[in-house]
Amino acid sequence: VFNPLEAYEIDFSGSSVSLRLKEASLNLDHRRVIVPTETTFAVKVQHSVVNMMFEGTTLCELSWDFQGSSPILQTTKPGQTPALSNHEDRRQVPLLIKDLCQGRLNLEVSSVGGISFTQASTIREDKVGLYDWKFFNAIVSPDDDSPARIMDVLHDKKTMHQLLAVTKLINSDIERALRYILTKVWRAKEIIDQEGISDPGQAIPGYKLARLVSLFLSEDTSQVNEVLPIIRRVVAGNGLDVIKAKDLLRKHVEAYDEWAAEIDRGVKWVAVVVGPMSIQQPIEETEGPPLSECIDPDRYDGIPTAKELYQMLQDKPQLPLDQSFSNLVSRIAPYMTLRQVRYVLHLRPSSHWQPFDLKRLRYVYSIKKKVHEISESYGGLSFMPQSFFVSIFLGEATRSSLRAATANQDAEYGDAELEAVKVDKRTALSILRRRKLGESIRGGDDDTENFIMSPAGRIASRGDLRGLHTPTDGPVSSPYTSSRVEDILGDSLLGPEDIAVLLQAGLTSAMKGSTVVQLNQRMLLDLMASQPKSFAIAVLAELGQNTPRHLASCLMALCDLDQGSFKEAHRVNMHNLLESWLPGLKIPRREDYLAGGRWARQSFYDAIFSVAVSIHDLSEPYTGLKLRIQTVRHHKESDPLPLPLEFSKEFNHQPTSKLTSAIESAVSKMSVADDLGQRAFNDLVQRRKPARECTEAIAAYKEAFDACSQVLSIDKLAFQADWFKAFWKRNYDALMVKSIYDNVMDDVDNVRVWMEALRRGSMGIELTDADNLSQSPSSGTMLADCDSATASMVSPVGSPPKQASVSIIAEPFFTCPEKQAEQDLIDGIVDSIFYDESERDYIKSDPLVRLLISNEPGHYNFTIITAMGVITEGKKGLELQKAIERLEEERGVKTIRADTGTARSIDYNATKIEEAVEVATKLKRPFGLVGYSQGCANEINFESRMLAGTPDQQKVITSPASGLVCRQLLFSAANGSMHGPAAEAKVHQLITMTEDFFKYQQGYFSRAFISSTLEVLNDILDSAAFQKFMGGAKSFLPDALRSFWREAQFLPHVPTTVLRGVLENHTTPESLEMVCNLLSKQSGSTLHDSQVHVYDAVGHPVYVKNRNARILKGTDMGGAIQRTHHWSPLSEEVEFVRTTRDVQQATFDCAKDRHIFPFCDVNARFGIIRYVASGEQKSEKQSIEAATPRK
């Protein structure tokens, strides 16, 4: 797509600038910084070619040299200056340690203003140490290694003593507090080193943690007996014993009496974090239809739906577009997604558009492209220059939008009214430039009036906002004409989502006090004020990412918006401006809720949060408009459900049809196979012969598989029929047992050890707390045939086992499978793996399980797309890695990991899954989705977004040759988790408790200090990291999930298999004990895997019912509940929290193959996944190598 802002390029490569200071000092009241003589600074641009949109990167070299000396900080008594005071009255200290007095590093600036450092050097070029380039990156652009580097710096006492010396000259009280904190940090490090703690797993056991706490408090182990009960209470999910904790601190903290109130509040904060939270249980709804069917469609009269838009664009592709339709598309373009605008521009040639509309579309596309890049890269020191990059295109975009608004108002208003809304031709930036060039600061009266008469200033300056009427707001009852479309959409070239992203970038900027950032924010506010009121509400909704918690943080930041670059008369009253957009709502003022205010007893955060909830409710019409423009609804709620053909009325009237014959044949062959299987089952049990000898029964079942595949080839929805679904589930459970059996026999990974531990636990051999690991097996011969890992596992933990258990320990079963009968092994697997007794009995009696039927050998024509949990390394992750490698070797299945992010929103992760699918489609093979935990919600959201997306997106997912064919949900969190609302409630309570704490401190600290502290807290709540985290956390919240399931759409011909688990004592990792117990306390149920409940971890929505929910429920093929934990797919990722007890229980040595092998095999068994023809395997390998991105 041609971008007019990319037409010109500027080349800065080779430019350089240097500065040599003969003598320099910086003075601030009674403080002075003296820069060493002959200090030099230099910047050399190595490469920088950018266009007018600042596309491109810049790499420059920075160097400094203080000539072997450090800058000196001098202070004297307040009221004096260091230069004029006596030597005895001056104190001074070097600011830098010697390692930082000279150096050179490379600075890279990205196209969105992100900065990072590489190849830094200090003292000499080849030196690599604590203060190399990683140190600067840890401060400015943190990565995964940054926390470790910061901790190394904190433990460098030479550096910290230097920092303390500098801090003491600035503020002795801060220095005292900092010294105390650092002393405790160093003490903790010494204890950890002395105790040999290298991983958290070594400190997780209660007895070990109690020992560490005792050493920290009293420098010996005398307090272990006092600390251990407190820890055990927390781990049990009963919360912190506040009284005992405070008694312990009172006894061992010298400053306790001096800081009693603060310590008391700190203990209560900890109690909230680690304690259970009373929350409302999720409620099952009756119906949750899509929002488009809940809002009067006349509200959006004249605005086409996405489906209508695509149909009209695809209609008569050889003819130019109608002039009115061309104009309409350009009008709604700001409300489209970037993908939509790109599709629209590529679908029709330039000659089919009206020239002005084409120009507008291209401009909107260029803006959205840049905003999309900024949406993932903003905030903090990492993006300090970003505001300058944003101002490049923001000024023109807002100016063009304001001109369009003014032009429309020219036609609607008379001269008198026009004067009140006209925008001055001079921008705020030009006026400030004139001021800096020496022109009159006050300017003429016209200047002041014109500046105040900017849209935001004009609205906010009105005293009475009740009757305020934005010019572009048409009356609600007005007829729907072409002008009504403008009344709804406005004239902005930036859509609500675009403005929200740019506002958020400004609110989180590290340079909020700079003129450029403040001008950017003012231009955005002016643009919002020039549009209909509904536009401002839409921006606020997008700013909050459709969650009140997020929006509350943004509202606090907006109310405290820094406007220091503007004269007092030109500053916008943000409370008035917000209230003008939100009729009936009163924006709380922070000063009213501080000590001495009229609402001091109430919480400011509660008040602002209630406003955020109201805005969220007011934004429903915008949400409906957004969904109307961006998403395709393929069906209405009243449309009949897609069902198997055998359920249709016509089916009964066609007794000789091909489908009828196929179903009768499949049912008959299933019955014959079951009869033969039952006879074979009796032979297997009584005569103890191997399953492979039951050839007749195995052949009969394979004929039944083929017959079912034939039914599916005729009717791709046939698997939803009860008879087919029951047979499918039997096969899935049988293949699950077969997979584990093969792992045991082939001695894969540590599956034998894991199964032995499961067997011991399922038979009731209790393991006490790992307080005493000194016991060893009494028998010297029972482990003669087993390896050291097995010996460690079967060793009793704690006291010796009961008499009834001795025989189980003395006679290992799964660790020596060659000595066991085949059917005994199957019985042991079923008893050890499956949780529900009724399911165990049913599975054990099923001949399909007993016969251990394998699929035919060969490669599958299939690709897996994985999306892992809420904490993941994306495409660099190692979840199920060995199982994935074995699957590729055995079945030729290629796996592509989606580069999903840790604690990111399901929309962000869905785009990453789409990127993975784009790679998969190059293989020209069908693909399946494997989701784990939150990854299930990510993949379901991906499917829904693709179905509701542009026609090319729909084609990708529905293609018979390379589309989606099946789903696997591992411990699905798509229905949320009780941890979500509990954490939400804790966050709210902690914020209000912190607010109360600062009200209490107002009597001890200055107002300036309190304001600065509150500003820091606001920055934290509004930071990019926190907002992205909240975006990821909302996928666990009932309200967000209700909105998601309400609009979701799914393919009815794609079967879904699930793997669910329930924790028991012998399957609980020690690191998950507290989480597990908290979930049980908060939900009142123990049927969970530590994260999600078994009744929620299904393959369909539980708490929302609508047409698409019923479709997904029809595709849910189920799966028996297993005895396992939520971290079952993980291995190397959790190694750092593996404890001694975990090793002895083999908690993390789960059979990994069972997560994906049965899923692939059951779909291949019924023809959902096809085999690769033998002659095609060589060309298939070549295409895979060509399509796979190189590392």
Side-chain angles (χ1 to χ4, degrees):
V1 176
F2 173 73
N3 184 349
L5 294 180
E6 297 175 355
Y8 302 97
E9 290 184 341
I10 306 175
D11 189 351
F12 295 98
S13 302
S15 304
S16 63
V17 60
S18 61
L19 173 66
R20 181 183 298 273
L21 300 178
K22 191 73 174 178
E23 183 177 325
S25 64
L26 306 174
N27 295 277
L28 179 62
D29 296 331
H30 61 290
R31 300 184 181 96
R32 177 173 64 167
V33 175
I34 302 175
V35 180
T37 303
E38 298 298 325
T39 292
T40 59
F41 299 95
V43 178
K44 181 180 180 181
V45 180
Q46 296 181 353
H47 174 76
S48 178
V49 179
V50 296
N51 56 32
M52 295 303 292
M53 280 290 286
F54 269 71
E55 293 288 347
T57 60
T58 298
L59 180 64
C60 58
E61 182 183 273
L62 307 180
S63 62
W64 69 95
D65 189 351
F66 291 105
Q67 304 302 323
S69 301
S70 166
I72 302 296
L73 172 64
Q74 288 186 344
T75 65
T76 187
K77 297 178 180 179
Q80 299 180 6
T81 59
L84 301 178
S85 61
N86 295 326
H87 175 73
E88 294 79 6
D89 295 332
R90 288 199 303 261
R91 293 182 299 166
Q92 65 181 38
V93 65
L95 284 175
L96 300 177
I97 62 172
K98 187 177 180 180
D99 292 348
L100 293 175
C101 290
Q102 180 270 335
R104 186 179 72 240
L105 55 86
N106 287 345
L107 171 67
E108 184 173 355
V109 184
S110 70
S111 60
V112 291
I115 59 176
S116 59
F117 294 105
T118 58
Q119 302 174 5
S121 62
T122 56
I123 302 299
R124 58 183 185 274
E125 296 180 11
D126 59 346
K127 181 176 181 180
V128 176
L130 187 60
Y131 298 99
D132 61 4
W133 63 271
K134 293 182 180 180
F135 167 73
F136 295 96
N137 257 348
I139 297 174
V140 176
S141 184
D143 54 20
D144 294 339
D145 297 329
S146 297
R149 179 52 58 100
I150 295 298
M151 291 304 299
D152 290 341
V153 173
L154 286 177
H155 294 137
D156 181 28
K157 295 186 178 181
K158 174 184 175 182
T159 302
M160 291 300 102
H161 283 307
Q162 183 76 25
L163 176 63
L164 290 172
V166 174
T167 306
K168 187 173 183 179
L169 286 189
I170 298 174
N171 189 300
S172 59
D173 291 332
I174 296 178
E175 184 271 341
R176 187 176 60 159
L178 184 60
R179 183 179 294 277
Y180 179 82
I181 293 172
L182 285 174
T183 301
K184 295 302 180 184
V185 170
W186 294 335
R187 172 62 181 155
K189 179 68 164 53
E190 291 173 0
I191 293 173
I192 290 173
D193 291 342
Q194 291 171 2
E195 294 295 306
I197 305 296
S198 58
D199 290 319
Q202 296 173 324
I204 285 176
Y207 70 95
K208 189 66 176 179
L209 187 58
R211 176 182 174 86
L212 293 175
V213 174
S214 177
L215 288 171
F216 184 77
L217 291 177
S218 61
E219 300 185 0
D220 56 36
T221 59
S222 61
Q223 300 303 310
V224 170
N225 292 333
E226 299 292 330
V227 176
L228 190 56
I230 298 175
I231 293 175
R232 284 178 170 168
R233 175 187 168 95
V234 172
V235 171
N238 296 318
L240 180 68
D241 189 329
V242 174
I243 295 177
K244 288 186 177 180
K246 289 198 293 185
D247 287 343
L248 194 64
L249 292 174
R250 184 182 293 108
K251 188 187 302 183
H252 298 285
V253 177
E254 296 179 0
Y256 184 91
D257 292 335
E258 183 180 356
W259 298 94
E262 288 76 11
I263 294 175
D264 178 70
R265 290 179 184 271
V267 172
K268 289 180 179 178
W269 288 340
V270 175
V272 171
V273 173
V274 302
M277 182 63 64
S278 177
I279 52 177
Q280 182 180 359
Q281 301 298 312
I283 301 173
E284 184 174 343
E285 291 187 351
T286 53
E287 288 294 325
L291 189 60
S292 60
E293 299 192 24
C294 299
I295 297 179
D296 184 0
D298 291 340
R299 176 187 289 270
Y300 310 119
D301 190 24
I303 301 176
T305 64
K307 187 175 183 179
E308 294 169 345
L309 177 68
Y310 299 141
Q311 289 174 346
M312 297 171 73
L313 284 169
Q314 293 171 342
D315 186 35
K316 300 177 182 179
Q318 304 302 324
L319 298 178
L321 294 170
D322 180 74
Q323 182 176 351
S324 60
F325 180 71
S326 173
N327 181 258
L328 179 60
V329 174
S330 70
R331 283 286 183 182
I332 66 176
Y335 287 79
M336 294 182 182
T337 64
L338 175 64
R339 182 71 177 252
Q340 280 182 295
V341 179
R342 182 168 62 240
Y343 174 80
V344 167
L345 284 170
H346 279 96
L347 185 63
R348 289 283 191 147
S350 301
S351 58
H352 285 195
W353 299 93
Q354 297 298 312
F356 178 80
D357 300 330
L358 180 62
K359 179 180 178 182
R360 181 182 173 96
L361 277 171
R362 286 175 170 172
Y363 197 87
V364 169
Y365 173 77
S366 65
I367 291 174
K368 283 188 174 292
K369 183 181 178 182
K370 178 59 67 173
V371 171
H372 176 73
E373 295 174 1
I374 294 174
S375 66
E376 290 304 321
S377 307
Y378 64 86
L381 295 174
S382 306
F383 297 94
M384 283 193 297
Q386 189 175 79
S387 56
F388 299 94
F389 288 56
V390 170
S391 64
I392 296 295
F393 67 90
L394 180 58
E396 179 60 28
T398 55
R399 191 66 180 168
S400 298
S401 300
L402 291 175
R403 280 200 299 265
T406 304
N408 289 336
Q409 293 160 11
D410 286 344
E412 293 186 29
Y413 293 89
D415 294 339
E417 291 178 313
L418 184 60
E419 288 299 322
V421 298
K422 184 175 292 185
V423 182
D424 185 18
K425 293 181 180 179
R426 287 167 295 178
T427 63
L429 184 59
S430 67
I431 293 176
L432 284 181
R433 283 173 177 166
R434 285 172 50 197
R435 183 190 308 172
K436 290 182 179 181
L437 288 173
E439 294 187 19
S440 172
I441 294 180
R442 299 184 61 85
D445 294 338
D446 292 340
D447 286 347
T448 305
E449 288 182 9
N450 285 329
F451 202 100
I452 293 177
M453 295 306 287
S454 67
R458 173 174 51 82
I459 294 175
S461 64
R462 296 199 177 187
D464 184 8
L465 299 173
R466 291 173 296 178
L468 187 63
H469 177 70
T470 305
T472 51
D473 278 332
V476 176
S477 60
S478 63
Y480 287 92
T481 61
S482 58
S483 63
R484 180 57 179 160
V485 174
E486 297 176 1
D487 293 342
I488 297 174
L489 302 178
D491 307 280
S492 175
L493 292 171
L494 293 167
E497 187 174 1
D498 305 325
I499 294 179
V501 169
L502 297 177
L503 271 176
Q504 185 69 52
L507 293 176
T508 59
S509 172
M511 303 177 64
K512 288 191 286 290
S514 71
T515 299
V516 175
V517 172
Q518 294 180 28
L519 283 172
N520 289 345
Q521 300 295 75
R522 173 61 67 86
M523 285 189 286
L524 291 169
L525 293 174
D526 283 345
L527 182 56
M528 292 170 62
S530 68
Q531 304 300 310
K533 290 179 186 176
S534 58
F535 188 92
I537 295 175
V539 172
L540 293 176
E542 292 288 359
L543 193 61
Q545 298 182 8
N546 296 314
T547 57
R549 180 77 56 207
H550 193 160
L551 180 55
S553 301
C554 296
L555 287 175
M556 288 193 293
L558 279 175
C559 289
D560 295 333
L561 190 67
D562 194 338
Q563 302 182 66
S565 295
F566 295 92
K567 294 168 58 178
E568 186 69 32
H570 298 157
R571 295 175 186 173
V572 173
N573 187 317
M574 289 304 302
H575 291 81
N576 285 355
L577 183 61
L578 290 171
E579 288 170 3
S580 71
W581 292 331
L582 306 169
L585 295 182
K586 188 72 174 176
I587 306 299
R589 287 161 169 77
R590 188 189 298 276
E591 56 270 18
D592 291 338
Y593 293 84
L594 295 175
R598 56 175 178 169
W599 307 115
R601 293 182 178 274
Q602 299 181 22
S603 168
F604 170 71
Y605 186 79
D606 282 340
I608 203 76
F609 183 78
S610 66
V611 172
V613 172
S614 298
I615 295 174
H616 182 66
D617 295 337
L618 288 172
S619 67
E620 189 174 85
Y622 163 70
T623 304
L625 174 65
K626 179 181 177 181
L627 292 170
R628 181 183 181 89
I629 295 174
Q630 294 184 2
T631 63
V632 175
R633 297 296 310 181
H634 293 279
H635 297 279
K636 295 182 178 180
E637 281 294 290
S638 56
D639 291 346
L641 288 173
L643 298 173
L645 292 177
E646 62 181 282
F647 294 160
S648 64
K649 296 180 181 179
E650 294 79 8
F651 180 79
N652 296 326
H653 301 293
Q654 299 177 3
T656 59
S657 69
K658 187 176 180 180
L659 177 61
T660 304
S661 301
I663 292 176
E664 290 176 352
S665 175
V667 173
S668 174
K669 290 182 177 180
M670 286 167 52
S671 178
V672 170
D674 282 338
D675 290 339
L676 293 174
Q678 192 61 47
R679 290 201 293 269
F681 173 52
N682 296 331
D683 291 341
L684 290 171
V685 175
Q686 295 174 6
R687 300 181 185 179
R688 317 291 286 180
K689 70 177 184 178
R692 64 177 178 273
E693 296 182 6
C694 303
T695 55
E696 186 179 7
I698 292 175
Y701 272 118
K702 289 186 176 181
E703 289 183 7
F705 303 155
D706 293 338
C708 290
S709 299
Q710 181 64 26
V711 173
L712 272 179
S713 68
I714 301 172
D715 178 13
K716 60 183 181 181
L717 300 182
F719 68 86
Q720 297 187 23
D722 292 340
W723 65 270
F724 203 134
K725 184 174 287 190
F727 193 51
W728 180 296
K729 185 177 183 299
R730 287 175 56 196
N731 277 273
Y732 181 61
D733 292 337
L735 288 166
M736 188 70 68
V737 174
K738 176 71 166 58
S739 174
I740 298 173
Y741 178 86
D742 289 343
N743 283 174
V744 171
M745 298 306 297
D746 297 339
D747 196 15
V748 172
D749 299 335
N750 290 322
V751 173
R752 291 183 178 183
V753 176
W754 172 63
M755 286 302 304
E756 195 68 55
L758 280 182
R759 175 173 175 265
R760 180 174 62 176
S762 65
M763 290 184 172
I765 302 178
E766 297 181 358
L767 300 177
T768 61
D769 291 334
D771 295 333
N772 179 12
L773 303 179
S774 61
Q775 300 292 334
S776 59
S778 57
S779 172
T781 60
M782 69 175 188
L783 303 176
D785 297 329
C786 303
D787 57 20
S788 59
T790 304
S792 173
M793 186 278 303
V794 299
S795 300
V797 180
S799 56
K802 298 177 182 178
Q803 186 64 34
S805 305
V806 171
S807 61
I808 299 174
I809 297 178
E811 299 178 2
F813 186 77
F814 286 106
T815 52
C816 307
E818 300 82 3
K819 299 181 179 181
Q820 316 303 327
E822 179 184 76
Q823 296 303 311
D824 291 342
L825 282 172
I826 293 176
D827 285 334
I829 290 172
V830 174
D831 286 333
S832 302
I833 287 293
F834 297 105
Y835 174 79
D836 186 78
E837 184 178 0
S838 61
E839 287 186 333
R840 287 201 302 269
D841 294 341
Y842 182 79
I843 292 171
K844 289 168 70 173
S845 64
D846 191 345
L848 267 173
V849 176
R850 298 291 180 173
L851 292 172
L852 298 174
I853 303 174
S854 300
N855 282 3
E856 297 298 326
H859 284 186
Y860 296 153
N861 184 38
F862 185 59
T863 302
I864 288 178
I865 307 296
T866 66
M868 295 304 171
V870 67
I871 300 177
T872 178
E873 294 185 14
K875 62 183 180 183
K876 297 179 181 179
L878 297 174
E879 300 93 341
L880 301 175
Q881 182 61 32
K882 293 183 179 179
I884 288 171
E885 292 172 356
R886 286 189 287 267
L887 182 62
E888 183 172 4
E889 180 181 358
E890 182 177 336
R891 291 298 185 180
V893 176
K894 181 69 179 177
T895 300
I896 300 175
R897 295 182 183 272
D899 196 20
T900 54
T902 295
R904 297 304 307 271
S905 70
I906 59 176
D907 290 335
Y908 170 85
N909 287 334
T911 61
K912 294 301 179 180
I913 297 173
E914 184 176 357
E915 293 174 3
V917 169
E918 288 176 358
V919 176
T921 54
K922 297 177 183 178
L923 303 177
K924 298 180 181 180
R925 302 195 301 179
F927 68 89
L929 300 174
V930 175
Y932 163 54
S933 190
Q934 192 204 31
C936 299
N938 296 333
E939 293 204 325
I940 289 174
N941 186 41
F942 154 76
E943 179 183 346
S944 179
R945 284 165 59 99
M946 295 292 281
L947 274 177
T950 59
D952 57 345
Q953 288 178 298
Q954 298 173 34
K955 183 179 179 180
V956 166
I957 200 169
T958 58
S959 169
S962 59
L964 175 64
V965 294
C966 50
R967 315 179 190 93
Q968 168 81 329
L969 306 183
L970 305 174
F971 312 100
S972 172
N975 280 304
S977 167
M978 296 299 290
H979 286 308
E984 173 86 349
K986 288 182 179 181
V987 168
H988 190 101
Q989 185 171 342
L990 287 171
I991 292 175
T992 55
M993 290 174 67
T994 303
E995 183 184 352
D996 289 339
F997 171 75
F998 283 111
K999 288 181 183 179
Y1000 169 80
Q1001 295 294 338
Q1002 275 187 271
Y1004 300 93
F1005 295 99
S1006 67
R1007 188 177 185 87
F1009 178 81
I1010 294 292
S1011 298
S1012 299
T1013 305
L1014 291 174
E1015 184 178 349
V1016 171
L1017 291 175
N1018 277 350
D1019 290 344
I1020 294 174
L1021 293 176
D1022 210 47
S1023 64
F1026 184 81
Q1027 299 297 351
K1028 290 176 181 178
F1029 170 79
M1030 293 301 296
K1034 77 175 185 179
S1035 63
F1036 295 103
L1037 303 179
D1039 289 341
L1041 285 167
R1042 193 174 297 113
S1043 299
F1044 163 64
W1045 287 116
R1046 181 186 64 191
E1047 305 298 334
Q1049 303 177 78
F1050 310 103
L1051 291 171
H1053 64 273
V1054 178
T1056 306
T1057 51
V1058 300
L1059 198 159
R1060 301 179 290 166
V1062 172
L1063 275 176
E1064 297 172 290
N1065 289 337
H1066 66 284
T1067 57
T1068 303
E1070 201 163 2
S1071 53
L1072 287 180
E1073 270 191 302
M1074 187 181 82
V1075 175
C1076 171
N1077 292 327
L1078 279 176
L1079 185 57
S1080 299
K1081 298 283 184 181
Q1082 289 165 166
S1083 65
S1085 171
T1086 58
L1087 298 176
H1088 58 76
D1089 59 15
S1090 80
Q1091 310 293 322
V1092 292
H1093 280 81
V1094 71
Y1095 45 78
D1096 288 336
V1098 292
H1100 62 274
V1102 175
Y1103 305 109
V1104 175
K1105 294 182 179 179
N1106 55 27
R1107 182 181 185 277
N1108 280 288
R1110 295 182 180 93
I1111 289 175
L1112 197 58
K1113 187 173 183 179
T1115 68
D1116 187 355
M1117 311 306 287
I1121 303 170
Q1122 298 188 21
R1123 285 173 157 150
T1124 190
H1125 53 83
H1126 194 79
W1127 287 355
S1128 175
L1130 309 180
S1131 182
E1132 291 86 351
E1133 301 83 0
V1134 293
E1135 187 65 34
F1136 71 102
V1137 293
R1138 190 193 297 256
T1139 65
T1140 301
R1141 195 186 81 178
D1142 293 335
V1143 173
Q1144 292 179 317
Q1145 289 186 338
T1147 308
F1148 294 115
D1149 294 323
C1150 312
K1152 308 304 179 185
D1153 287 5
R1154 79 190 202 279
H1155 299 94
I1156 51 177
F1157 272 78
F1159 156 66
C1160 292
D1161 288 340
V1162 73
N1163 280 280
R1165 178 166 289 185
F1166 292 110
I1168 300 292
I1169 297 175
R1170 303 287 182 180
Y1171 279 84
V1172 176
S1174 57
E1176 298 176 1
Q1177 290 191 16
K1178 184 176 181 180
S1179 60
E1180 177 206 30
K1181 183 177 180 181
Q1182 293 174 348
S1183 64
I1184 289 176
E1185 292 176 351
T1188 305
R1190 298 184 181 275
K1191 295 183 181 180

